[in-house]
Amino acid sequence: MTKVAASILSADLANLQSDCTRLLDAGADLMHFDVMDGHFVPNISYGAPVLKCLHAALPEVYYDVHLMISEPARYAPDFAKAGANLITFHLEAVPDAVGETIDAIRATGCQVGISIRPGTPVEAVYPYLDAVDLVLVMSVEPGFGGQKFIPATPERIAAIRTECDRRGLSTLIEVDGGVNVETGPLCSEAGADWLVAGSSLFNAADPAAVARVLHSK
Ligand code: DX5
Ligand code: ZN
């Protein structure tokens, strides 16, 4: 079944623990923790100290950390220590050091994800499909929650899924940005394993109903 990753960027940050608990009770499977540095993306969010507190409050939760930062290998150990289970970096942040970045994250003991912006050809991740646990396909430009889903995304997911199948790889595919009850099913049909949902879940009157639809495949 497709997993639902609730993006904390849309949470009430003054009541982070209770807002996450509310979403977990509604059916979210894991928490997606967006880190923005104001350099790789034009916005600043929060860092490892926030994850450390959240992890202490909710230790059983799986933390999917999405680093939208310029120096992922430098900061990955901080996030691992703070409680990350999986750390995803952007290929575009380290175009000449992708392999080294994968190794640096792997060395922290966390699972490894690689992400691509909407304008990056999917073929750019093909050399790394057997070295990572997950590919995160951005369906909006990274940097802000609440944006509109880019319609070309399902075919990008399908292409990566086909390449993984061709090579017999079980690499997970995650999609992030503008995922809601209309766009989420298109992504799972195309082969996405994890759907990140921020505003569509946190702002929903009935988040359990949204999670049910997102889980439906
Ligand atoms: C955007 C972030 C997303 C964002 C998703 O740069 O990576 O995780 O929080 O938010 P929604 O679901 O509202 O598009
Ligand atoms: Zn994200």
Side-chain angles (χ1 to χ4, degrees), residues 26-170:
D29 301 286
L30 52 128
M31 288 292 153
H32 181 84
F33 192 91
D34 286 303
V35 181
M36 305 178 183
D37 64 354
H39 186 255
F40 178 69
V41 290
N43 196 9
I44 295 174
S45 58
Y46 33 66
V50 175
L51 180 61
K52 187 178 174 200
C53 291
L54 186 60
H55 179 261
L58 299 172
E60 306 305 329
V61 174
Y62 184 98
Y63 292 98
D64 163 29
V65 172
H66 178 192
L67 296 182
M68 288 164 274
I69 68 174
S70 294
E71 293 186 78
R74 177 173 172 189
Y75 295 101
D78 291 348
F79 288 95
K81 262 187 237 116
N85 296 91
L86 177 140
I87 298 177
T88 295
F89 70 100
H90 268 265
L91 180 147
E92 304 87 355
V94 286
D96 302 323
V98 175
E100 292 91 318
T101 305
I102 292 170
D103 292 346
I105 296 174
R106 192 67 77 195
T108 69
C110 288
Q111 292 186 287
V112 183
I114 186 167
S115 183
I116 45 171
R117 295 181 122 137
T120 300
V122 289
E123 293 77 14
V125 297
Y126 288 3
Y128 310 105
L129 289 177
D130 57 353
V132 297
D133 299 288
L134 174 144
V135 176
L136 170 54
V137 179
M138 290 306 299
S139 37
V140 299
E141 276 304 330
F144 299 90
Q147 302 182 75
K148 205 170 162 327
F149 183 84
I150 296 174
T153 309
E155 60 195 65
R156 287 165 59 75
I157 293 168
I160 298 168
R161 172 57 65 212
T162 301
E163 179 65 9
C164 287
D165 289 349
R166 191 182 70 76
R167 289 161 55 184
L169 300 172
S170 53

